Amino acid sequence: AQSVTQPDIHITVSEGASLELRCNYSYGATPYLFWYVQSPGQGLQLLLKYFSGDTLVQGIKGFEAEFKRSQSSFNLRKPSVHWSDAAEYFCAVDPYSTDSWGKLQFGAGTQVVVTP
Amino acid sequence: DSGVTQTPKHLITATGQRVTLRCSPRSGDLSVYWYQQSLDQGLQFLIQYYNGEERAKGNILERFSAQQFPDLHSELNLSSLELGDSALYFCASSAKTVNYGYTFGSGTRLTVV
């Protein structure tokens, strides 16, 4: 079955430390891949996306993600976390099939807590 | 401000009632998507409209319906509400049917009591 998995429900990281959030997908072909962030009481903001080409993608707020076809993964990273990065992060997939019409399948999310 | 406007921001209603959630897409966007976010189900795709026509359906209950009007705003109608319908309902828009990255609204929080 097609799925998007975020193995970590909750991550605690110290301010200034690096952060990596994992995302694995299970689809027949390489889908379109996205990372969104949701701050408390807010909507979802697009951090970055991957369609094709360079497997290292730069996004907003200092985030980057690396697509690894062999591992069916699209992990999100940030070298140095700021307190304002505390939020929930969602990996999302668009299968880009003829019947998907752009709908997204989301992972369960990873809650990031930043400690002083 | 993402450019996608959802109203109301909060809604409290009783079981059995009917409510309408409204979404105005970003200027120029033709596609509107509705998603439901709940604690137990996470983010679930409900339905998509493109230029007034329904294009894709997801896990949308028969009690729910939606439409997109000529001015491209969309409404999600939820009827015979149950406690389990309490959730955040998000609208997103994009320029075309292919997903180059949605813009989400800030959502409507529905509480059914």
PDB file of all heavy atoms in Angstrom, chain A residues 32 34 36 38 42-44 46 49 51 90 94 96 101-104 106, chain B residues 33 35 37 43 45 48 55 57 90 97-102 104-105:
ATOM      1  N   TYR A  32       6.269  13.317  -6.117  1.00  0.00           N
ATOM      2  CA  TYR A  32       6.679  14.650  -5.683  1.00  0.00           C
ATOM      3  C   TYR A  32       6.716  14.628  -4.152  1.00  0.00           C
ATOM      4  O   TYR A  32       5.829  14.073  -3.507  1.00  0.00           O
ATOM      5  CB  TYR A  32       5.676  15.710  -6.147  1.00  0.00           C
ATOM      6  CG  TYR A  32       5.668  15.955  -7.632  1.00  0.00           C
ATOM      7  CD1 TYR A  32       4.737  16.828  -8.190  1.00  0.00           C
ATOM      8  CD2 TYR A  32       6.573  15.361  -8.494  1.00  0.00           C
ATOM      9  CE1 TYR A  32       4.706  17.085  -9.545  1.00  0.00           C
ATOM     10  CE2 TYR A  32       6.549  15.607  -9.852  1.00  0.00           C
ATOM     11  CZ  TYR A  32       5.607  16.467 -10.370  1.00  0.00           C
ATOM     12  OH  TYR A  32       5.583  16.720 -11.713  1.00  0.00           O
ATOM     13  N   PHE A  34       7.401  16.729  -0.368  1.00  0.00           N
ATOM     14  CA  PHE A  34       7.276  18.034   0.276  1.00  0.00           C
ATOM     15  C   PHE A  34       7.524  17.906   1.773  1.00  0.00           C
ATOM     16  O   PHE A  34       7.277  16.863   2.370  1.00  0.00           O
ATOM     17  CB  PHE A  34       5.860  18.600   0.093  1.00  0.00           C
ATOM     18  CG  PHE A  34       5.403  18.686  -1.336  1.00  0.00           C
ATOM     19  CD1 PHE A  34       4.862  17.578  -1.964  1.00  0.00           C
ATOM     20  CD2 PHE A  34       5.515  19.871  -2.044  1.00  0.00           C
ATOM     21  CE1 PHE A  34       4.431  17.653  -3.282  1.00  0.00           C
ATOM     22  CE2 PHE A  34       5.088  19.954  -3.354  1.00  0.00           C
ATOM     23  CZ  PHE A  34       4.549  18.844  -3.973  1.00  0.00           C
ATOM     24  N   TYR A  36       6.301  20.278   5.109  1.00  0.00           N
ATOM     25  CA  TYR A  36       5.526  21.405   5.614  1.00  0.00           C
ATOM     26  C   TYR A  36       5.796  21.545   7.109  1.00  0.00           C
ATOM     27  O   TYR A  36       6.083  20.566   7.800  1.00  0.00           O
ATOM     28  CB  TYR A  36       4.033  21.170   5.416  1.00  0.00           C
ATOM     29  CG  TYR A  36       3.545  21.393   4.006  1.00  0.00           C
ATOM     30  CD1 TYR A  36       3.597  20.377   3.061  1.00  0.00           C
ATOM     31  CD2 TYR A  36       3.034  22.626   3.619  1.00  0.00           C
ATOM     32  CE1 TYR A  36       3.133  20.589   1.768  1.00  0.00           C
ATOM     33  CE2 TYR A  36       2.572  22.839   2.334  1.00  0.00           C
ATOM     34  CZ  TYR A  36       2.630  21.816   1.420  1.00  0.00           C
ATOM     35  OH  TYR A  36       2.187  22.028   0.140  1.00  0.00           O
ATOM     36  N   GLN A  38       4.026  23.258  10.700  1.00  0.00           N
ATOM     37  CA  GLN A  38       2.811  23.801  11.296  1.00  0.00           C
ATOM     38  C   GLN A  38       3.131  24.282  12.709  1.00  0.00           C
ATOM     39  O   GLN A  38       3.438  23.476  13.583  1.00  0.00           O
ATOM     40  CB  GLN A  38       1.698  22.754  11.343  1.00  0.00           C
ATOM     41  CG  GLN A  38       0.378  23.281  11.873  1.00  0.00           C
ATOM     42  CD  GLN A  38      -0.714  22.234  11.872  1.00  0.00           C
ATOM     43  OE1 GLN A  38      -0.449  21.034  11.931  1.00  0.00           O
ATOM     44  NE2 GLN A  38      -1.967  22.664  11.794  1.00  0.00           N
ATOM     45  N   GLN A  42      -1.549  27.508  13.759  1.00  0.00           N
ATOM     46  CA  GLN A  42      -1.316  28.049  12.421  1.00  0.00           C
ATOM     47  C   GLN A  42      -1.624  27.020  11.351  1.00  0.00           C
ATOM     48  O   GLN A  42      -1.815  25.834  11.636  1.00  0.00           O
ATOM     49  CB  GLN A  42       0.143  28.494  12.285  1.00  0.00           C
ATOM     50  CG  GLN A  42       0.562  29.535  13.284  1.00  0.00           C
ATOM     51  CD  GLN A  42      -0.173  30.837  13.087  1.00  0.00           C
ATOM     52  OE1 GLN A  42      -0.322  31.323  11.970  1.00  0.00           O
ATOM     53  NE2 GLN A  42      -0.659  31.400  14.179  1.00  0.00           N
ATOM     54  N   GLY A  43      -1.633  27.501  10.118  1.00  0.00           N
ATOM     55  CA  GLY A  43      -1.788  26.597   8.995  1.00  0.00           C
ATOM     56  C   GLY A  43      -0.455  25.951   8.655  1.00  0.00           C
ATOM     57  O   GLY A  43       0.518  26.040   9.395  1.00  0.00           O
ATOM     58  N   LEU A  44      -0.431  25.304   7.522  1.00  0.00           N
ATOM     59  CA  LEU A  44       0.768  24.594   7.072  1.00  0.00           C
ATOM     60  C   LEU A  44       1.551  25.476   6.111  1.00  0.00           C
ATOM     61  O   LEU A  44       0.996  26.013   5.155  1.00  0.00           O
ATOM     62  CB  LEU A  44       0.358  23.306   6.369  1.00  0.00           C
ATOM     63  CG  LEU A  44      -0.270  22.275   7.292  1.00  0.00           C
ATOM     64  CD1 LEU A  44      -1.359  21.505   6.599  1.00  0.00           C
ATOM     65  CD2 LEU A  44       0.796  21.326   7.799  1.00  0.00           C
ATOM     66  N   LEU A  46       4.793  25.656   3.503  1.00  0.00           N
ATOM     67  CA  LEU A  46       5.689  24.839   2.696  1.00  0.00           C
ATOM     68  C   LEU A  46       7.136  25.235   2.972  1.00  0.00           C
ATOM     69  O   LEU A  46       7.510  26.391   2.832  1.00  0.00           O
ATOM     70  CB  LEU A  46       5.366  25.028   1.216  1.00  0.00           C
ATOM     71  CG  LEU A  46       6.225  24.265   0.218  1.00  0.00           C
ATOM     72  CD1 LEU A  46       6.008  22.756   0.367  1.00  0.00           C
ATOM     73  CD2 LEU A  46       5.912  24.700  -1.212  1.00  0.00           C
ATOM     74  N   LYS A  49      10.404  21.493  -1.509  1.00  0.00           N
ATOM     75  CA  LYS A  49       9.783  20.469  -2.337  1.00  0.00           C
ATOM     76  C   LYS A  49      10.827  19.862  -3.259  1.00  0.00           C
ATOM     77  O   LYS A  49      11.839  20.492  -3.593  1.00  0.00           O
ATOM     78  CB  LYS A  49       8.645  21.077  -3.161  1.00  0.00           C
ATOM     79  CG  LYS A  49       9.088  22.242  -4.040  1.00  0.00           C
ATOM     80  CD  LYS A  49       7.894  23.005  -4.575  1.00  0.00           C
ATOM     81  CE  LYS A  49       8.353  24.237  -5.357  1.00  0.00           C
ATOM     82  NZ  LYS A  49       7.221  25.116  -5.720  1.00  0.00           N
ATOM     83  N   PHE A  51      10.946  17.669  -6.956  1.00  0.00           N
ATOM     84  CA  PHE A  51      10.274  17.072  -8.107  1.00  0.00           C
ATOM     85  C   PHE A  51      11.240  16.175  -8.878  1.00  0.00           C
ATOM     86  O   PHE A  51      10.913  15.052  -9.253  1.00  0.00           O
ATOM     87  CB  PHE A  51       9.719  18.148  -9.034  1.00  0.00           C
ATOM     88  CG  PHE A  51       8.652  19.013  -8.407  1.00  0.00           C
ATOM     89  CD1 PHE A  51       8.491  20.333  -8.782  1.00  0.00           C
ATOM     90  CD2 PHE A  51       7.798  18.508  -7.441  1.00  0.00           C
ATOM     91  CE1 PHE A  51       7.506  21.128  -8.200  1.00  0.00           C
ATOM     92  CE2 PHE A  51       6.816  19.290  -6.856  1.00  0.00           C
ATOM     93  CZ  PHE A  51       6.678  20.612  -7.238  1.00  0.00           C
ATOM     94  N   PHE A  90       5.623  18.043   8.828  1.00  0.00           N
ATOM     95  CA  PHE A  90       4.941  17.010   8.072  1.00  0.00           C
ATOM     96  C   PHE A  90       5.651  16.765   6.737  1.00  0.00           C
ATOM     97  O   PHE A  90       5.913  17.712   5.989  1.00  0.00           O
ATOM     98  CB  PHE A  90       3.495  17.416   7.771  1.00  0.00           C
ATOM     99  CG  PHE A  90       2.614  17.478   8.983  1.00  0.00           C
ATOM    100  CD1 PHE A  90       2.459  18.665   9.671  1.00  0.00           C
ATOM    101  CD2 PHE A  90       1.950  16.348   9.427  1.00  0.00           C
ATOM    102  CE1 PHE A  90       1.648  18.735  10.793  1.00  0.00           C
ATOM    103  CE2 PHE A  90       1.130  16.415  10.545  1.00  0.00           C
ATOM    104  CZ  PHE A  90       0.988  17.603  11.232  1.00  0.00           C
ATOM    105  N   ASP A  94       3.005  13.634  -3.200  1.00  0.00           N
ATOM    106  CA  ASP A  94       2.031  13.666  -4.290  1.00  0.00           C
ATOM    107  C   ASP A  94       2.449  12.580  -5.272  1.00  0.00           C
ATOM    108  O   ASP A  94       3.495  12.689  -5.888  1.00  0.00           O
ATOM    109  CB  ASP A  94       2.045  15.037  -4.960  1.00  0.00           C
ATOM    110  CG  ASP A  94       1.075  15.130  -6.125  1.00  0.00           C
ATOM    111  OD1 ASP A  94       0.538  14.087  -6.562  1.00  0.00           O
ATOM    112  OD2 ASP A  94       0.863  16.257  -6.600  1.00  0.00           O
ATOM    113  N   TYR A  96       1.638  11.970  -8.115  1.00  0.00           N
ATOM    114  CA  TYR A  96       1.672  12.447  -9.488  1.00  0.00           C
ATOM    115  C   TYR A  96       1.250  11.345 -10.445  1.00  0.00           C
ATOM    116  O   TYR A  96       1.908  11.046 -11.435  1.00  0.00           O
ATOM    117  CB  TYR A  96       3.045  12.990  -9.865  1.00  0.00           C
ATOM    118  CG  TYR A  96       3.038  13.720 -11.189  1.00  0.00           C
ATOM    119  CD1 TYR A  96       2.019  14.593 -11.506  1.00  0.00           C
ATOM    120  CD2 TYR A  96       4.048  13.523 -12.135  1.00  0.00           C
ATOM    121  CE1 TYR A  96       1.968  15.257 -12.711  1.00  0.00           C
ATOM    122  CE2 TYR A  96       4.023  14.197 -13.346  1.00  0.00           C
ATOM    123  CZ  TYR A  96       2.978  15.056 -13.623  1.00  0.00           C
ATOM    124  OH  TYR A  96       2.950  15.713 -14.819  1.00  0.00           O
ATOM    125  N   TRP A 101      -4.424  14.007  -9.209  1.00  0.00           N
ATOM    126  CA  TRP A 101      -4.825  15.400  -9.371  1.00  0.00           C
ATOM    127  C   TRP A 101      -4.232  16.307  -8.314  1.00  0.00           C
ATOM    128  O   TRP A 101      -4.874  17.223  -7.845  1.00  0.00           O
ATOM    129  CB  TRP A 101      -6.354  15.534  -9.381  1.00  0.00           C
ATOM    130  CG  TRP A 101      -6.949  15.000 -10.634  1.00  0.00           C
ATOM    131  CD1 TRP A 101      -7.579  13.813 -10.794  1.00  0.00           C
ATOM    132  CD2 TRP A 101      -6.940  15.627 -11.917  1.00  0.00           C
ATOM    133  NE1 TRP A 101      -7.986  13.661 -12.086  1.00  0.00           N
ATOM    134  CE2 TRP A 101      -7.604  14.757 -12.809  1.00  0.00           C
ATOM    135  CE3 TRP A 101      -6.437  16.831 -12.401  1.00  0.00           C
ATOM    136  CZ2 TRP A 101      -7.777  15.049 -14.142  1.00  0.00           C
ATOM    137  CZ3 TRP A 101      -6.613  17.130 -13.750  1.00  0.00           C
ATOM    138  CH2 TRP A 101      -7.274  16.251 -14.595  1.00  0.00           C
ATOM    139  N   GLY A 102      -3.047  16.001  -7.898  1.00  0.00           N
ATOM    140  CA  GLY A 102      -2.363  16.911  -6.993  1.00  0.00           C
ATOM    141  C   GLY A 102      -2.687  16.731  -5.528  1.00  0.00           C
ATOM    142  O   GLY A 102      -2.244  17.518  -4.699  1.00  0.00           O
ATOM    143  N   LYS A 103      -3.450  15.705  -5.165  1.00  0.00           N
ATOM    144  CA  LYS A 103      -3.753  15.552  -3.738  1.00  0.00           C
ATOM    145  C   LYS A 103      -2.538  14.999  -3.012  1.00  0.00           C
ATOM    146  O   LYS A 103      -1.755  14.241  -3.560  1.00  0.00           O
ATOM    147  CB  LYS A 103      -4.959  14.640  -3.533  1.00  0.00           C
ATOM    148  CG  LYS A 103      -4.787  13.225  -4.004  1.00  0.00           C
ATOM    149  CD  LYS A 103      -6.104  12.459  -3.875  1.00  0.00           C
ATOM    150  CE  LYS A 103      -5.943  11.032  -4.350  1.00  0.00           C
ATOM    151  NZ  LYS A 103      -7.230  10.313  -4.382  1.00  0.00           N
ATOM    152  N   LEU A 104      -2.399  15.420  -1.784  1.00  0.00           N
ATOM    153  CA  LEU A 104      -1.251  15.052  -0.976  1.00  0.00           C
ATOM    154  C   LEU A 104      -1.599  13.965   0.026  1.00  0.00           C
ATOM    155  O   LEU A 104      -2.690  13.951   0.592  1.00  0.00           O
ATOM    156  CB  LEU A 104      -0.730  16.261  -0.207  1.00  0.00           C
ATOM    157  CG  LEU A 104       0.001  17.347  -0.976  1.00  0.00           C
ATOM    158  CD1 LEU A 104       0.323  18.512  -0.066  1.00  0.00           C
ATOM    159  CD2 LEU A 104       1.269  16.804  -1.597  1.00  0.00           C
ATOM    160  N   PHE A 106      -0.116  12.812   3.589  1.00  0.00           N
ATOM    161  CA  PHE A 106       0.758  13.315   4.642  1.00  0.00           C
ATOM    162  C   PHE A 106       1.215  12.201   5.567  1.00  0.00           C
ATOM    163  O   PHE A 106       0.491  11.233   5.822  1.00  0.00           O
ATOM    164  CB  PHE A 106       0.026  14.353   5.488  1.00  0.00           C
ATOM    165  CG  PHE A 106      -0.097  15.698   4.834  1.00  0.00           C
ATOM    166  CD1 PHE A 106      -1.164  15.987   4.008  1.00  0.00           C
ATOM    167  CD2 PHE A 106       0.853  16.683   5.055  1.00  0.00           C
ATOM    168  CE1 PHE A 106      -1.291  17.233   3.404  1.00  0.00           C
ATOM    169  CE2 PHE A 106       0.744  17.931   4.457  1.00  0.00           C
ATOM    170  CZ  PHE A 106      -0.326  18.197   3.627  1.00  0.00           C
TER     171      PHE A 106
ATOM    172  N   TYR B  33      -8.300  22.632  -2.569  1.00  0.00           N
ATOM    173  CA  TYR B  33      -8.271  21.336  -1.896  1.00  0.00           C
ATOM    174  C   TYR B  33      -8.775  21.524  -0.471  1.00  0.00           C
ATOM    175  O   TYR B  33      -8.446  22.513   0.179  1.00  0.00           O
ATOM    176  CB  TYR B  33      -6.842  20.781  -1.841  1.00  0.00           C
ATOM    177  CG  TYR B  33      -6.133  20.695  -3.166  1.00  0.00           C
ATOM    178  CD1 TYR B  33      -5.548  21.818  -3.748  1.00  0.00           C
ATOM    179  CD2 TYR B  33      -6.012  19.489  -3.833  1.00  0.00           C
ATOM    180  CE1 TYR B  33      -4.884  21.734  -4.959  1.00  0.00           C
ATOM    181  CE2 TYR B  33      -5.337  19.393  -5.047  1.00  0.00           C
ATOM    182  CZ  TYR B  33      -4.782  20.525  -5.598  1.00  0.00           C
ATOM    183  OH  TYR B  33      -4.128  20.429  -6.796  1.00  0.00           O
ATOM    184  N   TYR B  35      -8.791  19.653   3.324  1.00  0.00           N
ATOM    185  CA  TYR B  35      -8.192  18.632   4.172  1.00  0.00           C
ATOM    186  C   TYR B  35      -8.789  18.727   5.574  1.00  0.00           C
ATOM    187  O   TYR B  35      -9.152  19.803   6.037  1.00  0.00           O
ATOM    188  CB  TYR B  35      -6.672  18.829   4.284  1.00  0.00           C
ATOM    189  CG  TYR B  35      -5.905  18.411   3.064  1.00  0.00           C
ATOM    190  CD1 TYR B  35      -5.812  19.260   1.964  1.00  0.00           C
ATOM    191  CD2 TYR B  35      -5.289  17.172   2.997  1.00  0.00           C
ATOM    192  CE1 TYR B  35      -5.112  18.868   0.824  1.00  0.00           C
ATOM    193  CE2 TYR B  35      -4.584  16.774   1.861  1.00  0.00           C
ATOM    194  CZ  TYR B  35      -4.508  17.633   0.793  1.00  0.00           C
ATOM    195  OH  TYR B  35      -3.825  17.242  -0.332  1.00  0.00           O
ATOM    196  N   GLN B  37      -7.850  17.757   9.572  1.00  0.00           N
ATOM    197  CA  GLN B  37      -6.785  17.360  10.490  1.00  0.00           C
ATOM    198  C   GLN B  37      -7.395  17.047  11.843  1.00  0.00           C
ATOM    199  O   GLN B  37      -7.950  17.913  12.518  1.00  0.00           O
ATOM    200  CB  GLN B  37      -5.734  18.454  10.642  1.00  0.00           C
ATOM    201  CG  GLN B  37      -4.552  18.033  11.501  1.00  0.00           C
ATOM    202  CD  GLN B  37      -3.486  19.104  11.627  1.00  0.00           C
ATOM    203  OE1 GLN B  37      -3.795  20.297  11.632  1.00  0.00           O
ATOM    204  NE2 GLN B  37      -2.228  18.708  11.703  1.00  0.00           N
ATOM    205  N   LEU B  43      -3.747  14.284   8.964  1.00  0.00           N
ATOM    206  CA  LEU B  43      -4.191  15.123   7.848  1.00  0.00           C
ATOM    207  C   LEU B  43      -4.727  14.236   6.742  1.00  0.00           C
ATOM    208  O   LEU B  43      -3.991  13.429   6.167  1.00  0.00           O
ATOM    209  CB  LEU B  43      -3.022  15.952   7.318  1.00  0.00           C
ATOM    210  CG  LEU B  43      -2.784  17.284   7.988  1.00  0.00           C
ATOM    211  CD1 LEU B  43      -1.360  17.736   7.791  1.00  0.00           C
ATOM    212  CD2 LEU B  43      -3.742  18.337   7.446  1.00  0.00           C
ATOM    213  N   PHE B  45      -6.915  14.070   3.069  1.00  0.00           N
ATOM    214  CA  PHE B  45      -7.471  14.765   1.919  1.00  0.00           C
ATOM    215  C   PHE B  45      -8.963  14.481   1.818  1.00  0.00           C
ATOM    216  O   PHE B  45      -9.393  13.325   1.918  1.00  0.00           O
ATOM    217  CB  PHE B  45      -6.750  14.296   0.658  1.00  0.00           C
ATOM    218  CG  PHE B  45      -7.400  14.718  -0.627  1.00  0.00           C
ATOM    219  CD1 PHE B  45      -7.306  16.028  -1.066  1.00  0.00           C
ATOM    220  CD2 PHE B  45      -8.116  13.813  -1.397  1.00  0.00           C
ATOM    221  CE1 PHE B  45      -7.898  16.419  -2.254  1.00  0.00           C
ATOM    222  CE2 PHE B  45      -8.703  14.190  -2.591  1.00  0.00           C
ATOM    223  CZ  PHE B  45      -8.607  15.495  -3.015  1.00  0.00           C
ATOM    224  N   GLN B  48     -11.144  17.845  -3.981  1.00  0.00           N
ATOM    225  CA  GLN B  48     -10.486  18.869  -4.774  1.00  0.00           C
ATOM    226  C   GLN B  48     -11.410  19.382  -5.858  1.00  0.00           C
ATOM    227  O   GLN B  48     -12.131  18.604  -6.493  1.00  0.00           O
ATOM    228  CB  GLN B  48      -9.227  18.333  -5.436  1.00  0.00           C
ATOM    229  CG  GLN B  48      -8.477  19.401  -6.240  1.00  0.00           C
ATOM    230  CD  GLN B  48      -7.834  18.885  -7.511  1.00  0.00           C
ATOM    231  OE1 GLN B  48      -7.906  17.686  -7.794  1.00  0.00           O
ATOM    232  NE2 GLN B  48      -7.219  19.747  -8.279  1.00  0.00           N
ATOM    233  N   ARG B  55     -12.660  17.325  -9.036  1.00  0.00           N
ATOM    234  CA  ARG B  55     -11.624  16.566  -9.741  1.00  0.00           C
ATOM    235  C   ARG B  55     -11.152  15.342  -8.971  1.00  0.00           C
ATOM    236  O   ARG B  55     -10.696  14.386  -9.562  1.00  0.00           O
ATOM    237  CB  ARG B  55     -10.422  17.456 -10.042  1.00  0.00           C
ATOM    238  CG  ARG B  55     -10.644  18.400 -11.194  1.00  0.00           C
ATOM    239  CD  ARG B  55     -10.983  17.660 -12.477  1.00  0.00           C
ATOM    240  NE  ARG B  55     -11.310  18.496 -13.586  1.00  0.00           N
ATOM    241  CZ  ARG B  55     -10.446  18.946 -14.480  1.00  0.00           C
ATOM    242  NH1 ARG B  55      -9.170  18.621 -14.363  1.00  0.00           N
ATOM    243  NH2 ARG B  55     -10.836  19.703 -15.472  1.00  0.00           N
ATOM    244  N   LYS B  57     -11.683  12.975  -5.145  1.00  0.00           N
ATOM    245  CA  LYS B  57     -12.321  12.775  -3.858  1.00  0.00           C
ATOM    246  C   LYS B  57     -11.452  11.885  -3.004  1.00  0.00           C
ATOM    247  O   LYS B  57     -10.873  10.909  -3.491  1.00  0.00           O
ATOM    248  CB  LYS B  57     -13.689  12.116  -4.042  1.00  0.00           C
ATOM    249  CG  LYS B  57     -14.861  13.035  -3.875  1.00  0.00           C
ATOM    250  CD  LYS B  57     -16.158  12.258  -3.947  1.00  0.00           C
ATOM    251  CE  LYS B  57     -17.336  13.168  -3.696  1.00  0.00           C
ATOM    252  NZ  LYS B  57     -18.611  12.463  -3.748  1.00  0.00           N
ATOM    253  N   PHE B  90      -8.703  22.435   6.730  1.00  0.00           N
ATOM    254  CA  PHE B  90      -7.832  23.311   5.962  1.00  0.00           C
ATOM    255  C   PHE B  90      -8.259  23.345   4.508  1.00  0.00           C
ATOM    256  O   PHE B  90      -8.662  22.339   3.932  1.00  0.00           O
ATOM    257  CB  PHE B  90      -6.383  22.827   6.005  1.00  0.00           C
ATOM    258  CG  PHE B  90      -5.694  23.067   7.311  1.00  0.00           C
ATOM    259  CD1 PHE B  90      -5.403  22.021   8.151  1.00  0.00           C
ATOM    260  CD2 PHE B  90      -5.321  24.346   7.682  1.00  0.00           C
ATOM    261  CE1 PHE B  90      -4.755  22.239   9.360  1.00  0.00           C
ATOM    262  CE2 PHE B  90      -4.669  24.583   8.892  1.00  0.00           C
ATOM    263  CZ  PHE B  90      -4.391  23.521   9.728  1.00  0.00           C
ATOM    264  N   THR B  97      -3.760  21.812 -11.651  1.00  0.00           N
ATOM    265  CA  THR B  97      -4.039  20.538 -11.013  1.00  0.00           C
ATOM    266  C   THR B  97      -2.752  19.842 -10.583  1.00  0.00           C
ATOM    267  O   THR B  97      -2.739  19.094  -9.632  1.00  0.00           O
ATOM    268  CB  THR B  97      -4.804  19.598 -11.953  1.00  0.00           C
ATOM    269  OG1 THR B  97      -4.079  19.486 -13.181  1.00  0.00           O
ATOM    270  CG2 THR B  97      -6.181  20.141 -12.237  1.00  0.00           C
ATOM    271  N   VAL B  98      -1.679  20.078 -11.301  1.00  0.00           N
ATOM    272  CA  VAL B  98      -0.415  19.490 -10.890  1.00  0.00           C
ATOM    273  C   VAL B  98       0.089  20.245  -9.672  1.00  0.00           C
ATOM    274  O   VAL B  98       0.005  21.463  -9.609  1.00  0.00           O
ATOM    275  CB  VAL B  98       0.618  19.562 -12.020  1.00  0.00           C
ATOM    276  CG1 VAL B  98       1.966  19.024 -11.553  1.00  0.00           C
ATOM    277  CG2 VAL B  98       0.121  18.776 -13.214  1.00  0.00           C
ATOM    278  N   ASN B  99       0.625  19.530  -8.748  1.00  0.00           N
ATOM    279  CA  ASN B  99       0.989  20.121  -7.465  1.00  0.00           C
ATOM    280  C   ASN B  99       2.407  20.659  -7.491  1.00  0.00           C
ATOM    281  O   ASN B  99       3.361  19.908  -7.420  1.00  0.00           O
ATOM    282  CB  ASN B  99       0.832  19.060  -6.376  1.00  0.00           C
ATOM    283  CG  ASN B  99       1.076  19.628  -5.016  1.00  0.00           C
ATOM    284  OD1 ASN B  99       1.346  20.819  -4.875  1.00  0.00           O
ATOM    285  ND2 ASN B  99       0.999  18.794  -4.010  1.00  0.00           N
ATOM    286  N   TYR B 100       2.537  21.950  -7.605  1.00  0.00           N
ATOM    287  CA  TYR B 100       3.847  22.584  -7.503  1.00  0.00           C
ATOM    288  C   TYR B 100       4.085  23.147  -6.111  1.00  0.00           C
ATOM    289  O   TYR B 100       5.036  23.853  -5.875  1.00  0.00           O
ATOM    290  CB  TYR B 100       3.981  23.682  -8.560  1.00  0.00           C
ATOM    291  CG  TYR B 100       3.989  23.134  -9.960  1.00  0.00           C
ATOM    292  CD1 TYR B 100       2.965  23.445 -10.849  1.00  0.00           C
ATOM    293  CD2 TYR B 100       5.002  22.296 -10.392  1.00  0.00           C
ATOM    294  CE1 TYR B 100       2.960  22.921 -12.129  1.00  0.00           C
ATOM    295  CE2 TYR B 100       5.004  21.770 -11.666  1.00  0.00           C
ATOM    296  CZ  TYR B 100       3.972  22.082 -12.529  1.00  0.00           C
ATOM    297  OH  TYR B 100       3.964  21.573 -13.795  1.00  0.00           O
ATOM    298  N   GLY B 101       3.196  22.798  -5.213  1.00  0.00           N
ATOM    299  CA  GLY B 101       3.327  23.274  -3.841  1.00  0.00           C
ATOM    300  C   GLY B 101       2.117  24.085  -3.452  1.00  0.00           C
ATOM    301  O   GLY B 101       1.907  25.181  -3.919  1.00  0.00           O
ATOM    302  N   TYR B 102       1.317  23.497  -2.604  1.00  0.00           N
ATOM    303  CA  TYR B 102       0.105  24.169  -2.184  1.00  0.00           C
ATOM    304  C   TYR B 102       0.408  25.372  -1.324  1.00  0.00           C
ATOM    305  O   TYR B 102       1.413  25.426  -0.637  1.00  0.00           O
ATOM    306  CB  TYR B 102      -0.713  23.277  -1.257  1.00  0.00           C
ATOM    307  CG  TYR B 102      -1.322  22.046  -1.790  1.00  0.00           C
ATOM    308  CD1 TYR B 102      -1.838  21.138  -0.901  1.00  0.00           C
ATOM    309  CD2 TYR B 102      -1.405  21.758  -3.139  1.00  0.00           C
ATOM    310  CE1 TYR B 102      -2.427  19.974  -1.309  1.00  0.00           C
ATOM    311  CE2 TYR B 102      -1.989  20.584  -3.563  1.00  0.00           C
ATOM    312  CZ  TYR B 102      -2.509  19.693  -2.651  1.00  0.00           C
ATOM    313  OH  TYR B 102      -3.095  18.531  -3.054  1.00  0.00           O
ATOM    314  N   PHE B 104      -1.582  26.811   1.910  1.00  0.00           N
ATOM    315  CA  PHE B 104      -2.657  26.482   2.827  1.00  0.00           C
ATOM    316  C   PHE B 104      -3.188  27.723   3.521  1.00  0.00           C
ATOM    317  O   PHE B 104      -2.442  28.663   3.800  1.00  0.00           O
ATOM    318  CB  PHE B 104      -2.161  25.519   3.915  1.00  0.00           C
ATOM    319  CG  PHE B 104      -2.140  24.083   3.499  1.00  0.00           C
ATOM    320  CD1 PHE B 104      -1.046  23.556   2.844  1.00  0.00           C
ATOM    321  CD2 PHE B 104      -3.211  23.256   3.786  1.00  0.00           C
ATOM    322  CE1 PHE B 104      -1.025  22.227   2.460  1.00  0.00           C
ATOM    323  CE2 PHE B 104      -3.199  21.920   3.407  1.00  0.00           C
ATOM    324  CZ  PHE B 104      -2.106  21.403   2.739  1.00  0.00           C
ATOM    325  N   GLY B 105      -4.476  27.677   3.818  1.00  0.00           N
ATOM    326  CA  GLY B 105      -5.057  28.678   4.697  1.00  0.00           C
ATOM    327  C   GLY B 105      -4.766  28.321   6.148  1.00  0.00           C
ATOM    328  O   GLY B 105      -4.158  27.285   6.432  1.00  0.00           O
TER     329      GLY B 105
END
